[in-house]
Amino acid sequence: MSTTHSGPARPVDVVRKARRAPRRHHAFVVAGLALVLFGAFVARVLLGNFIITVPDFFRILGGAEIPGATFLLMSEKLPRAILGVLVGVAFGSAGAVFQSTLRNPLASPDIVGVSLGASASAVFAIVVLDLQGLALSIAAIVGAIAIAVAVRLVAGSDGSYRLVLVGVTAAAAMTAVVHYLFTRANEFDALLVLRWLTGALNGVTWPTIWTLLGFLLVLVPALAWTARSAQILQLGPDVATGLGVSRRRTDLLLLLAVLLTALGVAAAGPVAFVAFVAGPISRALNGGRTTLVGAALVGAIVMVAGDYIADYAVPGVSFPVGVVTGAFGAPFLLWLLAAGRAGRR
């Protein structure tokens, strides 16, 4: 009779096990966030002041005309929920890229002025140039890129903290521009400008959704492919260069994040703090490791759930979604600073 003695684990098995554990945890986090997003999406579409049953939902999608329900679902509830997901994915992934690449949790597009650059450019196009439609969206994208380039040139390569300081200054300047132009707007333009002050999902059209979806189908995979070096970039520019990751890769990554931010602002306005909170929340759930997919899902959850709260929290009053995300994000920023995490990765 022979006996089998189990010897010590081989080093290669230990390494494989150590690699599998974070991957399983990441998959669990992504699956959990996807379920939460699904629940928020269902609540936004079916619940509220006018409840739509699941059978009626599928009947309407199949072309049935149900008085009241069909119009409300296809013109209000469903478009807002879909746009919330798309804009949240754009903001969340862009914020995670900014924070991980620049190695600073404060370096998100809405903090360093990119979102407000798009907003100021759009308001200028409305009040001064009398633009609307596609031209207005292009103006917002151009403004975001211009501010991002200006902040990068002024900040130089001295580090992420200088970039954050320059970005905060640029954001304050853009806020002053928006407020000044608001005082110069007529009554009709003032209603349009309000969307570019806080951000909102109401009044969305299906062409806007399809256009944004088309851009995201191109930019998000490109961002994911380029972000494969994100873990190396977090080690610092000198180490990244030594490992073969050039500064051009960093600039390309930031440019894609700027474009995603600009598209989100062009579709829904500068919704505050979504890009800022998505990265830290997803990292905390993922054991401190950056996850682009997790940040995108958190951004979508914040947008969809925030819009639901904004629409139904106070009976008879509908707030812009930016009011809710701002109310949530401001204490989160204070907590981040008070906890001393702003300077640690």
Side-chain angles (χ1 to χ4, degrees):
M1 181 175 180
S2 61
T3 58
T4 303
H5 298 281
S6 59
R10 294 180 301 172
V12 64
D13 295 331
V14 175
V15 172
R16 288 174 179 172
K17 184 177 181 180
R19 288 180 176 177
R20 285 196 297 266
R23 292 174 182 173
R24 287 196 299 265
H25 181 72
H26 177 260
F28 177 78
V29 169
V30 169
L33 289 174
L35 287 176
V36 173
L37 175 59
F38 177 76
F41 186 89
V42 170
R44 185 66 190 92
V45 172
L46 301 182
L47 303 181
N49 295 334
F50 190 100
I51 297 177
I52 298 176
T53 64
V54 174
D56 284 346
F57 172 78
F58 287 105
R59 287 175 57 200
I60 293 172
L61 289 185
E65 287 290 337
I66 302 177
T70 298
F71 175 81
L72 188 60
L73 176 67
M74 301 305 295
S75 300
E76 180 71 14
K77 285 175 169 285
L78 188 59
R80 289 178 67 159
I82 294 176
L83 184 64
V85 171
L86 297 179
V87 172
V89 167
F91 285 158
S93 56
V97 166
F98 264 76
Q99 292 164 344
S100 61
T101 302
L102 299 174
R103 298 182 299 142
N104 191 327
L106 296 181
S108 67
D110 43 357
I111 299 295
V112 300
V114 176
S115 298
L116 283 170
S119 180
S121 180
V123 173
F124 178 84
I126 293 173
V127 176
V128 179
L129 303 180
D130 197 24
L131 298 181
Q132 56 183 336
L134 179 61
L136 183 59
S137 299
I138 294 175
I141 295 172
V142 171
I145 296 175
I147 289 298
V149 171
V151 169
R152 186 59 182 252
L153 291 177
V154 174
S157 57
D158 294 339
S160 61
Y161 287 99
R162 178 177 172 84
L163 187 143
V164 170
L165 290 175
V166 175
V168 170
T169 303
M174 293 300 100
T175 301
V177 170
V178 171
H179 289 168
Y180 170 74
L181 291 173
F182 184 73
T183 63
R184 300 290 302 273
N186 57 43
E187 293 182 0
F188 176 76
D189 288 342
L191 295 176
L192 299 177
V193 170
L194 286 174
R195 181 184 182 88
W196 299 94
L197 292 176
T198 57
L201 296 178
N202 58 302
V204 61
T205 61
W206 286 104
T208 299
I209 292 175
W210 298 128
T211 301
L212 180 59
L213 177 61
F215 278 110
L216 291 185
L217 290 177
V218 175
L219 290 177
V220 171
L223 185 72
W225 180 83
T226 310
R228 292 182 300 175
S229 59
Q231 298 295 334
I232 298 177
L233 292 172
Q234 293 181 54
L235 300 176
D238 296 333
V239 177
T241 301
L243 294 176
V245 179
S246 65
R247 186 180 296 273
R248 291 182 179 179
R249 175 64 69 89
T250 302
D251 292 338
L252 176 59
L253 198 56
L254 291 174
L255 176 60
L256 292 173
V258 168
L259 290 176
L260 284 173
T261 303
L263 289 169
V265 174
V271 184
F273 289 115
V274 176
F276 172 69
V277 303
I281 292 176
S282 63
R283 281 195 301 273
L285 295 174
N286 198 42
R289 294 177 296 273
T290 299
T291 163
L292 192 62
V293 177
L297 290 173
V298 171
I301 291 170
V302 171
M303 282 293 299
V304 176
D307 188 51
Y308 181 84
I309 295 172
D311 214 14
Y312 301 115
V314 180
V317 179
S318 180
F319 296 104
V321 64
V323 173
V324 174
T325 59
F328 169 71
F332 186 86
L333 173 59
L334 293 177
W335 171 83
L336 194 65
L337 293 172
R341 301 186 181 185
R344 301 199 305 267
R345 291 290 305 162

